[in-house]
Amino acid sequence: MAQGTSESMVKISASVVRKLRVPLPALDDQAHLLSAIGSVTRLLESEVAELTKLRRLKQGLLDDLLSGRVAVSAMA
């Protein structure tokens, strides 16, 4: 459908692309993939929330230490 160098490959016409037939997975396979993606998305959201919580805790601890609200004992 496209001929020539890699530079000319970007010149594939829209009509050629529209005529391309792209096979789709079976509906059961699509549902399974969506379920897996949903699980990973929920896990990622949970991890991001935990990271946000830890960053806030870290910032609070740094603020307390740097402001002198919390005493730091010297380690031997």
Side-chain angles (χ1 to χ4, degrees):
M1 289 181 217
Q3 298 175 356
T5 65
S6 61
E7 286 182 19
S8 67
M9 294 294 189
V10 297
K11 298 176 184 168
I12 300 173
S13 70
S15 64
V16 171
V17 173
R18 282 189 200 103
K19 292 177 187 175
L20 289 176
R21 296 182 55 89
V22 179
L24 295 176
L27 288 178
D28 289 348
D29 292 338
Q30 291 179 38
H32 181 70
L33 287 170
L34 285 175
S35 175
I37 290 169
S39 295
V40 171
T41 299
R42 285 187 295 280
L43 177 62
L44 179 60
E45 288 169 350
S46 171
E47 294 293 330
V48 167
E50 182 67 18
L51 179 60
T52 300
K53 179 179 148 187
L54 290 171
R55 284 181 173 160
R56 284 187 191 134
L57 178 62
K58 176 184 172 184
Q59 188 61 49
L61 290 171
L62 284 172
D63 289 345
D64 286 348
L65 291 171
L66 294 174
S67 68
R69 284 186 290 239
V70 174
V72 179
S73 61
M75 299 183 94

